[in-house]
Amino acid sequence: MDKNVNIDWSNLGFSYIKTDFRYISRWKDGKWDEGKLVEDNKITISEASTALHYGQQCFEGLKAYRTKNGKIQLFRPDKNAKRMNDSCRRILMPEIPEEKFIDACIKVVKANEAYVPPYGTGATLYIRPFIIGVGENIGVKPAPEYLFCVFCLPVGPYFKGGMTPVNFTVSEYDRAAPYGTGAAKVGGNYAGSLLPHELAAKKGFADCIYLDPMTHTKIEEVGAANFFGITKDNKFVTPKSPSILPSITKYSLMHIAKEYLGMEVEERDVFIDKLDEFKEAGACGTAAVITPIGGIEYKENFHVFHSETEVGPVTKKLYDTLYGIQFGDIDPPKGWIVEVK
């Protein structure tokens, strides 16, 4: 694409920028239409849409990366498609065929190619697919129609001045209910997290840690990210629970820890009162890849892992490996990369 966009790539943050095209498809009478690219970034829906009243909506987040040789690639979009369908099933929305999901993402990236940041800036093109229940429906039941949309925007590197550990406090609030929607990427989970996040920020922490809703003894999530720890005998450990959102970054890191770094990997209970089993800890997700955890406040105690100022060596190696795969500098496992052609 020849278009020049006037963007200072080195000073991008994580905020909305309107790009040229987005994708929209409607589900009606039991099927999705073909879908199309449109220029208008506004959606008009009925005032009685279930997305507005009953929270019938879900979303995804993934990125497109520019490689050293100028190619553009997506990272494991099939996993985002699968997770979106898991979310749809949980709240009775129609599923999106995986090919349609990936095709929509590719179409949007190609149409907005000028907004894919150059290699070496650390910036990426963030892609946001979402599905909302629409149509005229005031009863508490699934919507008569749905919209599947995908838009994108360039975002800056999460760590502007290099990767730095941050501190977290344990929240008294629950992120999800036992047997609730914690494993689905639905907006209500995020609405409920706004207050606990604000309370943590007022105390000077980056965000809060949520414990399991049943017993309040085990770590579940770190803000909107998944937790992992590196034990003193060098195992990669991450919590296992039916109310954790299954992070694609986390499962990628588990594979990298085992296959690239030769570590043992355990998905199991992580008890909040046993933090001293870990020499390093981090939060992982699409935005930052890894946010190193300096320390965690729990009740009256503050537990420091590797350091409050320096990133631990294992965390750094995990980050560098995954980052290298995403930007095309390290050979990926089979099927992880989809090139945008």
Side-chain angles (χ1 to χ4, degrees):
M1 184 177 281
D2 295 331
K3 173 177 172 160
N4 285 318
V5 297
N6 189 23
I7 289 175
D8 180 359
W9 302 113
S10 56
N11 283 314
L12 271 177
F14 196 93
S15 54
Y16 181 79
I17 292 172
K18 181 178 183 284
T19 52
D20 297 339
F21 294 96
R22 63 272 313 126
Y23 173 96
I24 188 160
S25 180
R26 184 177 289 270
W27 186 92
K28 196 176 178 181
D29 302 327
K31 62 180 189 297
W32 291 104
D33 68 14
E34 271 193 20
K36 61 185 179 184
L37 290 171
V38 298
E39 292 186 47
D40 188 5
N41 70 337
K42 303 288 191 291
I43 296 170
T44 302
I45 61 173
S46 164
E47 63 189 356
S49 294
T50 59
L52 300 176
H53 301 272
Y54 308 125
Q56 204 187 20
Q57 57 84 259
C58 69
F59 68 99
E60 274 300 322
L62 63 157
K63 288 177 172 179
Y65 306 82
R66 176 99 57 184
T67 66
K68 197 179 280 184
N69 61 12
K71 288 181 181 169
I72 299 170
Q73 56 188 37
L74 304 179
F75 179 73
R76 309 191 79 179
D78 57 314
K79 296 294 180 191
N80 293 93
K82 181 186 177 301
R83 189 170 67 181
M84 180 165 255
N85 284 333
D86 290 343
S87 299
C88 286
R89 280 194 297 276
R90 179 62 182 83
I91 57 172
L92 291 185
M93 298 200 297
E95 293 178 39
I96 292 281
E98 188 179 302
E99 312 74 54
K100 185 180 180 72
F101 179 98
I102 296 172
D103 178 60
C105 291
I106 288 172
K107 280 190 167 82
V108 167
V109 174
K110 279 175 78 168
N112 295 292
E113 192 179 327
Y115 294 91
V116 182
Y119 174 85
T121 59
T124 50
L125 188 76
Y126 184 80
I127 304 162
R128 170 57 58 88
F130 65 95
I131 300 179
I132 57 172
V134 298
E136 292 168 358
N137 176 49
I138 203 63
V140 183
K141 59 181 189 285
E145 297 177 26
Y146 296 86
L147 292 179
F148 168 54
C149 306
V150 183
F151 67 93
C152 68
L153 56 141
V155 297
Y158 193 86
F159 301 106
K160 289 271 189 280
M163 202 161 56
T164 317
V166 292
N167 299 329
F168 295 87
T169 183
V170 174
S171 179
E172 293 174 357
Y173 286 88
D174 288 332
R175 183 189 151 269
Y179 309 105
T181 57
K185 200 165 174 68
V186 295
N189 295 346
Y190 294 81
S193 75
L194 296 174
L195 174 63
H197 169 79
E198 187 175 89
L199 295 173
K202 278 182 178 164
K203 286 173 70 181
F205 293 94
D207 208 335
C208 57
I209 286 183
Y210 297 101
L211 302 180
D212 71 294
M214 196 86 86
T215 70
H216 278 211
T217 60
K218 298 173 278 194
I219 289 179
E220 289 225 323
E221 293 208 359
V222 186
N226 280 190
F227 176 89
F228 72 87
I230 309 299
T231 62
K232 287 170 180 167
D233 58 353
N234 230 36
K235 287 179 184 152
F236 180 100
V237 174
T238 187
K240 186 175 180 63
S241 158
S243 50
I244 293 176
L245 182 76
S247 162
I248 292 151
T249 306
K250 178 184 82 171
Y251 286 109
S252 303
L253 288 171
M254 287 168 71
H255 181 91
I256 285 165
K258 187 167 185 257
E259 303 299 335
Y260 285 66
L261 308 185
M263 298 169 69
E264 269 187 68
V265 172
E266 293 179 353
E267 201 176 4
R268 60 160 168 86
D269 289 343
V270 175
F271 290 94
I272 188 64
D273 60 0
K274 293 191 176 157
L275 294 178
D276 56 1
E277 69 172 316
F278 301 112
K279 60 181 182 179
E280 297 178 32
C284 56
T286 299
V289 181
I290 291 174
T291 300
I293 298 175
I296 293 174
E297 180 194 65
Y298 176 55
K299 293 183 174 169
E300 298 305 307
N301 298 316
F302 183 68
H303 180 90
V304 176
F305 296 97
H306 177 76
S307 158
E308 284 186 77
T309 54
E310 302 289 320
V311 182
V314 181
T315 300
K316 179 86 168 72
K317 206 176 287 183
L318 286 163
Y319 176 88
D320 288 345
T321 308
L322 183 49
Y323 187 91
I325 289 169
Q326 289 173 332
F327 280 98
D329 297 328
I330 294 174
D331 286 341
K334 191 171 187 290
W336 278 24
I337 296 297
V338 173
E339 198 181 321
V340 176
K341 291 178 177 170

